Amino acid sequence: MNPTETWFVQLLQERGTALSPLQLQQFQTYYELLVEWNEKMNLTGITEREAVYEKHFYDSATLSFFLNLDKVVSIADIGSGAGFPSIPLKICYPHLQVTIVDSLNKRIQFLQHVVEQLGLQDVSCVHGRAEDIARLPAHRDQYDLVTARAVARLSGLNELCLPFAKKGGVFASMKGADPAEEVREAKRSLSELKGKLSKVHHLKLPFEHSDRHIIVIDKLGETPAKYPRKAGMPLKQPMI
Ligand code: SAM
């Protein structure tokens, strides 16, 4: 193991996630593909190995510190970009059935390639806007867990993400700096979309020490028929 892999394995192990040599190899291949494809398309501003493992891989995996992923079966990752947080979570928790939704087809093609190269099963990469995909019966009110990292402010994000969560499911929004104001601003969209704030967890990245927050929202009922509004509306005119 190189020094980056050593701390990565150790810190996840301390939080109850043990990585096998195969899983570590999958992270390595993912890193190589990310750097290679990033030369042809805009996937990430971070390419140095240590930083990718900390700010993308470890950061994505922190969701498992607060939610029991052993009990989660299906997960929808909205606006996944280069695959965060869902690909690291899938590597760590191979039983997960993952659906990735992103409106940029190039990123979906990259993710499809990653899934094939890593030999991941039960990962579906869907090209489209969350507002449209959430209208399809196969995706509406279906998922145990919905995730979104760095996609939009919570007031608009609730409308993109909560329609995917089933009644009794959870939406986990991964944020950087203190989201207290965003959470206040999101009250109306939460109640309209049948969401209830459960908890805001705080952590710091292990070396860079920047703040991270995970907003956990419970989905209390089925999505009202009028939501999500037509594509573009949730972020252009968030329910505030
Ligand atoms: N989650 C990734 C991360 O943390 O690195 C990517 C974040 S990137 C800033 C936001 C992503 O959301 C982009 O890939 C963009 O194409 C996607 N996106 C934005 N609006 C969307 C929508 N309405 N439906 C689906 N994807 C969307």
Side-chain angles (χ1 to χ4, degrees), residues 43-44 56 59-60 77-85 101-104 107 128-131 148-152 160 231-232 235:
L43 288 170
T44 175
H56 287 324
D59 186 34
S60 295
D77 188 20
I78 309 305
S80 186
F84 307 118
V101 178
D102 202 286
S103 53
L104 214 60
R107 294 193 176 137
R129 297 182 79 149
E131 299 93 315
R149 191 187 80 153
V151 177
L160 297 187
L235 300 190

Side-chain angles (χ1 to χ4, degrees), residues 50-111:
E50 186 81 9
V52 169
Y53 273 70
E54 181 180 17
K55 294 184 187 173
H56 287 324
F57 297 170
Y58 177 86
D59 186 34
S60 295
T62 59
L63 206 61
S64 69
F65 302 172
F66 305 106
L67 298 177
N68 185 354
L69 295 184
D70 290 325
K71 291 195 173 155
V72 170
V73 177
S74 58
I75 157 167
D77 188 20
I78 309 305
S80 186
F84 307 118
S86 53
I87 297 289
L89 291 174
K90 173 69 184 175
I91 295 173
C92 292
Y93 293 86
H95 74 279
L96 292 174
Q97 294 169 9
V98 177
T99 297
I100 285 171
V101 178
D102 202 286
S103 53
L104 214 60
N105 198 31
K106 279 188 172 175
R107 294 193 176 137
I108 289 293
Q109 284 168 1
F110 166 70
L111 290 172

Side-chain angles (χ1 to χ4, degrees), residues 3-4 7-8 11 50 54 58 204-210:
T4 302
W7 71 250
F8 186 63
L11 291 187
E50 186 81 9
E54 181 180 17
Y58 177 86
K204 280 182 185 285
L205 289 183
F207 304 108
E208 200 229 11
H209 300 299
S210 55

